[in-house]
Amino acid sequence: MNVLLVSVNREHAPYPVFPLGLACLAGPLRAAGHRLSVLDLCFAADPEEATRQALAEFSPDVVVLSLRNIDNVTYPGSRSYLSGVRDVVAICRERAAVVVGGSGFSLMPREVLAYLGADYGVVGEGEDVLPRLLARIAAGEGGDGLPGVVARENAGFLPPHPVQAIGTPLRGLFQVERYHREGGMANIQTKRGCPFSCIYCTYPLLEGERMRLRPVADIIAEIGDLVDVHGVSYLYFVDDIFNYPLEFALELCRAMSAARLPVAWSAFINPDFLPPQLLDAMLAAGCDALEFGTDSGSPVMLRNLRKSFGIEKVREASRLCREAGVDFAHYILFGGPGETPATIAESFALMDEVAPTAVIAMTGIRIFPGTAIYRQALADGLITPETDLLRPAFYIAPTIADTLCELVREEALKRTNWVVPGLEITANDAMLEALRHFAGPGPLWKMLKLLGRRRGSVPSPWSHSPS
């Protein structure tokens, strides 16, 4: 069959993100004998017209549409993407059957399928089950009995089966060079699954709790291909936690060093698993920035968020980075269960103490079904079982719901290394886009140390709202 792969993600803040999920599907679909074409709407000036043109030129039998996010998970500046996706689905259904998948779809499959009006949906990882579904569609049959497949006429579905062997994404159909140029990096995945229990996290729901590791040799070969074929000079490891399991991270870093790959990179790091020997191995392998999923600087909040570490680990990991002279950022989530003005002050104080290159903070925690924060929100009366969570809903501790944003705004504005996207502090869409044209490859937050600005003297270009 002719299969049109459509990436509907149009978000560019802080970076346009390469559609890795679709690239992982392309290999199994091609191996099954399907003819493939790609429509990437990330850079389309008119997505509806681009969709019509792709349908006319390729005449697909099936359209496979990947939904990375349903909204920007940012409070209070939240925006949903679903209405635009629904318009694309309606155009596609005039010409072909439509199958929807991706992480955004998988979080609320019944609700998203109904809203979009697509024919089928694939929950979770699709490499194994999607070729089977397409064979059923070609034979005029439905998807009943296939794990993780939900159909328009039948909202029930069997639990998805995790993929056992994670393959190498087929990137040749996609605009790798443009994503690298405009996003400053190429993304790569080394494992799936998350055994941790952070109360807001959707990774265990999407990928399961059991970790599945890719062969290191496959990862090295993929990096080599990105460098040699696509001219990539900077990588971002999209793993939920790069440095766990520790032994695997060490093996990968040593293999990268041995391969002498001319590429720099960054990754998301758990402060709990960063002994000096791993940091040394990471730096030797080309790592030039670390992003810590710290969430809070309050001991109480770290326990409430069910983090695997305490503040001493945050201090230790930060000290190692400072001594090594490597840029690092801490990500903070404000507003979780038990948050108070005192715990907020503790987070600001700890960040002042550990002195990262940047602090990226979010106010409020997006509520998704199946997470512990969802159950907490029900218990606290913030939502009900009937709440439509396709509309962005956020957990904010009831005692500070009316004051959280102002508390964070007041303190963040006193500091030059804080970025609060929801409050447009030291970041807005227009400035991020402009910065990318002047910045080198890598995370934009690294530029905070180069700006040398003082609030209240020279007006900061970040201080202006994009619209």
Side-chain angles (χ1 to χ4, degrees):
M1 290 197 299
N2 284 354
V3 179
L4 178 64
L5 304 177
V6 181
S7 176
V8 294
N9 176 36
R10 294 179 49 74
E11 184 61 81
H12 285 229
Y15 321 102
V17 178
F18 178 84
L20 194 60
L22 271 184
C24 288
L25 293 174
L29 292 178
R30 178 171 283 179
H34 299 292
R35 296 172 296 278
L36 305 180
S37 183
V38 166
L39 171 61
D40 188 347
L41 297 178
C42 188
F43 305 110
D46 185 337
E48 294 181 22
E49 178 57 32
T51 301
R52 292 188 179 94
Q53 182 176 344
L55 292 169
E57 292 177 354
F58 186 60
S59 298
D61 302 294
V62 175
V63 174
V64 174
L65 186 148
S66 177
L67 181 61
R68 181 175 182 265
N69 296 105
I70 63 175
D71 57 73
N72 67 341
V73 298
T74 300
Y75 179 88
S78 62
R79 58 178 180 265
S80 174
Y81 308 137
L82 286 178
S83 62
V85 177
R86 182 172 58 182
D87 293 340
V88 170
V89 169
I91 293 169
C92 291
R93 289 197 74 244
E94 296 173 359
R95 304 286 294 268
V98 177
V99 181
V100 183
S103 56
F105 172 79
S106 298
L107 291 172
M108 289 180 273
R110 296 182 183 89
E111 295 85 351
V112 174
L113 188 72
Y115 181 88
L116 297 181
D119 298 286
Y120 300 94
V122 174
V123 182
E125 299 166 336
E127 290 97 321
D128 292 342
V129 73
L130 182 58
R132 297 169 62 190
L133 174 61
L134 295 189
R136 292 272 194 94
I137 293 173
E141 302 172 358
D144 292 349
L146 293 178
V149 172
V150 58
R152 181 173 179 161
E153 68 276 4
N154 181 7
F157 63 93
L158 298 175
H161 289 173
V163 171
Q164 298 306 307
I166 304 169
T168 299
L170 183 64
R171 299 181 190 252
L173 298 170
F174 301 86
Q175 303 179 69
V176 179
E177 293 83 356
R178 184 169 185 180
Y179 276 101
H180 183 258
R181 181 177 67 253
E182 299 190 19
M185 59 190 76
N187 50 4
I188 189 167
Q189 185 178 49
T190 74
K191 64 178 80 74
R192 292 183 191 169
C194 181
F196 296 94
S197 55
C198 302
I199 65 172
Y200 55 83
C201 187
T202 58
Y203 273 93
L205 301 176
L206 296 171
E207 298 181 353
E209 298 177 356
R210 184 178 65 84
M211 275 195 163
R212 290 152 291 147
L213 311 176
R214 291 180 62 192
V216 168
D218 289 0
I219 300 168
I220 298 299
E222 183 181 352
I223 297 173
D225 186 73
L226 284 167
V227 172
D228 296 338
V229 177
H230 300 290
V232 167
S233 62
Y234 201 99
L235 297 174
Y236 184 82
F237 288 94
V238 300
D239 308 327
D240 184 32
I241 300 172
F242 174 83
N243 57 322
Y244 185 87
L246 175 59
E247 297 78 10
F248 178 75
L250 277 168
E251 180 187 359
L252 176 58
C253 289
R254 289 165 179 163
M256 291 177 68
S257 294
R260 299 184 180 276
L261 297 163
V263 64
W265 56 274
S266 55
F268 212 64
I269 304 297
N270 184 320
D272 212 8
F273 308 98
L274 192 66
Q277 64 267 32
L278 176 58
L279 181 58
D280 290 344
M282 291 169 63
L283 300 181
C287 177
D288 70 356
L290 288 76
E291 300 185 348
F292 290 103
T294 305
D295 289 356
S296 180
S298 163
V300 170
M301 291 308 299
L302 290 179
R303 290 194 297 270
N304 290 353
L305 295 170
R306 298 184 191 170
K307 304 303 290 186
S308 67
F309 51 84
I311 59 173
E312 288 307 316
K313 286 290 187 179
V314 178
R315 288 189 172 107
E316 180 184 353
S318 300
R319 177 184 59 80
L320 289 173
C321 290
R322 288 197 310 272
E323 292 177 353
V326 63
D327 290 318
F328 66 105
H330 286 288
Y331 282 74
I332 301 294
L333 293 176
F334 286 115
E339 191 84 271
T340 65
T343 60
I344 292 172
E346 287 180 305
S347 289
F348 277 98
L350 183 64
M351 292 299 103
D352 289 345
E353 175 190 336
V354 301
T357 309
V359 180
I360 297 92
M362 307 298 289
T363 51
I365 300 175
R366 178 62 159 100
I367 302 169
F368 289 109
T371 60
I373 199 76
Y374 172 81
R375 296 186 289 274
Q376 186 69 51
L378 286 174
D380 291 345
L382 301 182
I383 60 172
T384 71
E386 290 73 38
T387 299
D388 179 10
L389 291 178
L390 292 184
R391 298 173 178 268
F394 295 82
Y395 186 101
I396 300 177
T399 57
I400 59 164
D402 296 332
T403 58
L404 174 64
C405 289
E406 284 311 308
L407 285 170
V408 173
R409 184 192 306 274
E410 180 180 356
E411 291 301 320
L413 285 171
K414 299 175 183 176
R415 296 157 171 87
T416 60
N417 65 334
W418 276 69
V419 179
V420 189
L423 304 180
E424 293 197 344
I425 294 175
T426 321
N428 64 45
D429 291 354
M431 190 59 202
L432 290 172
E433 185 173 351
L435 262 183
R436 176 50 63 197
H437 293 289
F438 297 100
L444 289 178
W445 55 258
K446 292 179 64 177
M447 289 201 66
L448 291 182
K449 65 180 181 180
L450 304 177
L451 293 178
R453 57 174 173 58
R454 292 180 180 271
R455 296 188 194 275
S457 53
V458 179
S460 167
W462 269 306
S463 64
H464 301 291
S465 172
S467 60

